[in-house]
Amino acid sequence: MLSRPAMLLGGLLLGVATMIAAQRRGPEAAAQHQVHLVQSGPCSYTFVLPDPQPCPPGDPRSPDSLQRDVSPAAPSASLGAWRAQRVQQLEKALENSTLRLQKLERYIQMNLRSKLAWAQQHMVQNQTAAMLELGSNLLNETVARTSNVEAKVLNETSRVEVQMMETSLSTDELQKQLLQQSNELHRLQGRSSALETRLQALETQQQEDLASLREEKEQLRRLLGSHGGALAVLERSLRLASSNSSRLQMQQRQLLELVQRLVHVMAQGPGGSAAGERTAPMRAPEQVFQDCAEIHRSGATADGVYTIRVTNVSEPKKVFCGMESNGGGWTIIQRRVDGSEDFQRSWKEYKEGFGNPAGEYWLGNEAVHQLTSRATYSLRVELQDWEGQEAYAQYERFQLGSEAQLYRISLSGYNGSVGRQTGLFLQSANFSTRDADNDNCVCKCAQLMSGGWWFDACGLSNLNGAYYQNGQHLRRMDGVRWQYFRGPGYSLRATRMMIRPVGG
């Protein structure tokens, strides 16, 4: 008996052989076959078998023929013999079929294998060609993309190299700058250390000076307290004597002129002059003015240069009078307009005055002291910047001390358009010049800030500083400055200081 795999293999080979034979006989023969499906576990097999044909009558003695079944009426002995014979015949037929299957298998192996090999080779060649074509297309596309990517990479690499070069140059420049700044920082640190040392020494000296000044101030306060009454009486007496002296001088000049004229008339005789000339008419005595307010009251209304005679000042003074603005009668004591006059002067020059009243000038501390000592004066300060803006500061009470008092300024009653705070020290300050340091700072403000002024501790203003033209007037601490008008580092274009009696 054959095993089930052998039977399946035999059926498969039989089906294939039958299909091949049917193809050889033609389509009519192929149509006479049946298709059978055999299922073996997860696998299925298909067999093509010929349709059953009626068996022709054969020779019962032929080894390939089968006898018909005996009738049921046959005896039992004959039935046993018939079964044995039938089994032999079937074994013989199976053996013949096995031989045929083996022959068919060899035939299939010889013919079908070559065809299958050719088909596989042809299929492989087609697939290889398709794969080669696909590979070629992919290779071309890859080459193209690779070229593009390579170009982009090269461009990007070039750009990065350029950026790296620029960055390297910038880094080198920054390193140089950093090195220079480091050197400068070290130098500044050295100077800072030296300045700190000097500053500490100056602070120590200042504290000592302040202590000494406080002691002297206390001594002066006690001395003034003990002699205050006598000084007040003496001051009133001096003012009265000064006024009387002025009147006496004026009367003496008038009497002298009158005597000279009388002598001249008497010398000519009662009938006229010896030479027959007429006697010259007597001139009225020349009127003398103390300040521009008196000139204004006499009828003058135009701005200009006038002459005044200040009490206790030997020479007449040329002065510019402001007659056309703010009520008129203003005596200009300081004027800056174009930088034509040098204000870096000594104590004596600031005392006596200098410059041209028609341009830039300083009237003189002594003349201002004499004017403000005989009456109560107000002070007006007018300022102008390089953009044409103007401002003013006015003080209702202004007085300047004597030279012995270091021309100490006294102010009160501030108002103006330059800000809520004044630019002058209201608590009194002494006048200082380059050769007379009278401020409250160890740094000598007149040398540091230039000019002559009431510096106190270098202060908030200095209208007598160095004159800077337009374009050079910024960041100038030693210029013509007023802190609350354009700031401490702005040098102004024009200034003037003027005084007038209160109520005059």
Side-chain angles (χ1 to χ4, degrees):
M1 294 297 293
L2 295 177
S3 63
R4 185 174 180 180
M7 292 176 65
L8 293 174
L9 178 60
L12 175 61
L13 294 176
L14 180 60
V16 173
T18 305
M19 182 177 64
I20 294 173
Q23 290 178 353
R24 289 180 177 178
R25 288 196 299 268
E28 293 82 1
Q32 296 176 357
H33 291 76
Q34 295 180 353
V35 178
H36 296 273
L37 178 64
V38 177
Q39 183 73 29
S40 175
C43 301
S44 61
Y45 303 93
T46 305
F47 301 97
V48 181
L49 301 178
D51 292 336
Q53 298 291 333
C55 295
D59 189 1
R61 293 173 301 205
S62 175
D64 294 333
S65 62
L66 296 176
Q67 291 184 354
R68 296 182 180 273
D69 294 338
V70 294
S71 60
S76 59
S78 298
L79 182 58
W82 176 80
R83 287 180 178 175
Q85 186 180 357
R86 179 72 179 274
V87 169
Q88 291 177 358
Q89 290 176 355
L90 290 172
E91 290 178 352
K92 187 66 174 179
L94 180 60
E95 183 179 356
N96 292 334
S97 298
T98 301
L99 292 174
R100 288 176 185 154
L101 288 173
Q102 291 176 354
K103 291 179 181 180
L104 182 59
E105 183 180 2
R106 287 193 296 272
Y107 173 78
I108 289 172
Q109 289 177 354
M110 292 175 62
N111 293 279
L112 188 59
R113 184 177 295 175
S114 60
K115 291 183 178 182
L116 290 174
W118 178 83
Q120 291 177 355
Q121 184 178 3
H122 184 68
M123 185 180 299
V124 169
Q125 289 178 354
N126 292 339
Q127 292 178 353
T128 302
M131 292 296 293
L132 288 174
E133 184 178 0
L134 180 60
S136 177
N137 294 335
L138 290 175
L139 182 61
N140 292 334
E141 185 177 357
T142 303
V143 169
R145 292 185 178 179
T146 303
S147 300
N148 295 334
V149 172
E150 184 177 1
K152 292 181 180 179
V153 170
L154 289 175
N155 293 335
E156 187 68 19
T157 303
S158 302
R159 186 179 64 80
V160 171
E161 289 178 352
V162 171
Q163 290 182 351
M164 289 179 64
M165 292 178 63
E166 294 177 353
T167 305
S168 177
L169 293 175
S170 300
T171 303
D172 295 339
E173 186 66 23
L174 289 174
Q175 288 178 349
K176 293 179 181 178
Q177 293 180 2
L178 182 61
L179 182 60
Q180 293 176 357
Q181 292 179 357
S182 298
N183 295 334
E184 184 68 16
L185 182 61
H186 291 318
R187 187 178 66 84
L188 291 175
Q189 286 177 348
R191 291 186 61 185
S192 177
S193 300
L195 289 174
E196 286 180 357
T197 303
R198 289 186 60 189
L199 182 60
Q200 291 177 355
L202 290 174
E203 288 179 350
T204 303
Q205 183 65 32
Q206 183 180 12
Q207 290 177 357
E208 294 176 355
D209 293 342
L210 285 175
S212 176
L213 288 173
R214 290 192 185 99
E215 185 177 356
E216 292 179 1
K217 181 180 178 180
E218 184 64 23
Q219 293 176 358
L220 289 173
R221 188 184 65 80
R222 290 194 296 268
L223 182 61
L224 288 174
S226 61
H227 296 84
L231 288 174
V233 173
L234 180 60
E235 185 176 1
R236 287 194 296 270
S237 300
L238 287 173
R239 288 182 180 179
L240 181 60
S242 176
S243 178
N244 294 333
S245 175
S246 299
R247 295 192 187 96
L248 288 173
Q249 288 177 358
M250 186 181 300
Q251 292 174 1
Q252 286 175 359
R253 285 194 297 269
Q254 293 174 358
L255 288 173
L256 180 62
E257 291 176 358
L258 181 59
V259 169
Q260 289 175 352
R261 290 190 182 93
L262 289 173
V263 170
H264 182 70
V265 170
M266 291 176 65
Q268 289 179 350
S273 63
E277 296 179 354
R278 293 183 179 180
T279 303
M282 295 181 63
R283 293 180 299 175
E286 182 181 0
Q287 188 173 3
V288 179
F289 301 103
Q290 288 277 336
D291 58 15
C292 294
E294 292 184 358
I295 299 175
H296 185 258
R297 285 194 296 269
S298 69
T301 58
D303 289 350
V305 179
Y306 295 84
T307 301
I308 62 174
R309 291 182 178 272
V310 182
T311 304
N312 296 331
V313 176
S314 59
E315 296 295 330
K317 303 288 291 185
K318 293 289 185 180
V319 65
F320 191 93
C321 294
M323 303 294 193
E324 300 177 2
S325 61
N326 301 300
W330 292 99
T331 302
I332 310 300
I333 65 173
Q334 187 264 14
R335 193 163 181 240
R336 307 292 297 273
V337 290
D338 53 12
S340 58
E341 191 67 35
D342 181 18
F343 275 68
Q344 313 308 310
R345 301 297 185 108
S346 64
W347 177 269
K348 182 179 179 181
E349 290 173 302
Y350 270 100
K351 171 186 175 180
E352 297 176 353
F354 56 84
N356 179 12
E360 295 190 336
Y361 78 104
W362 180 260
L363 179 61
N365 288 337
E366 185 62 29
V368 176
H369 160 65
Q370 294 297 335
L371 286 174
T372 58
S373 297
R374 72 181 184 89
T376 303
Y377 276 75
S378 61
L379 170 67
R380 182 180 176 89
V381 180
E382 294 184 345
L383 312 169
Q384 184 182 22
D385 64 13
W386 289 97
E387 287 73 30
Q389 300 181 30
E390 296 181 350
Y392 76 93
Q394 189 159 332
Y395 305 86
E396 295 301 323
R397 297 288 186 273
F398 164 68
Q399 186 178 15
L400 204 62
S402 64
E403 184 176 13
Q405 296 172 329
L406 304 176
Y407 295 121
R408 189 174 185 84
I409 189 173
S410 297
L411 298 166
S412 63
Y414 163 76
N415 68 84
S417 61
V418 294
R420 297 176 59 184
Q421 300 187 44
T422 175
L424 287 171
F425 193 63
L426 293 177
Q427 301 302 321
S428 300
N430 298 329
F431 197 83
S432 295
T433 60
R434 63 187 182 186
D435 58 343
D437 181 27
N438 300 314
D439 55 46
N440 292 325
C441 180
V442 295
C443 58
K444 297 184 179 181
C445 299
Q447 296 182 10
L448 180 66
M449 313 301 291
S450 76
W453 195 250
W454 300 277
F455 287 108
D456 187 57
C458 294
L460 304 174
S461 62
N462 177 18
L463 300 186
N464 294 334
Y467 191 92
Y468 292 99
Q469 298 292 337
N470 189 18
Q472 301 176 348
H473 64 289
L474 299 177
R475 295 182 294 276
R476 300 293 184 178
M477 299 300 297
D478 61 340
V480 182
R481 65 188 184 90
W482 191 277
Q483 177 160 330
Y484 295 110
F485 180 60
R486 303 312 304 269
Y490 187 104
S491 185
L492 300 174
R493 178 182 180 275
T495 67
R496 65 179 185 174
M497 301 173 65
M498 47 193 183
I499 60 175
R500 183 176 65 182
V502 174

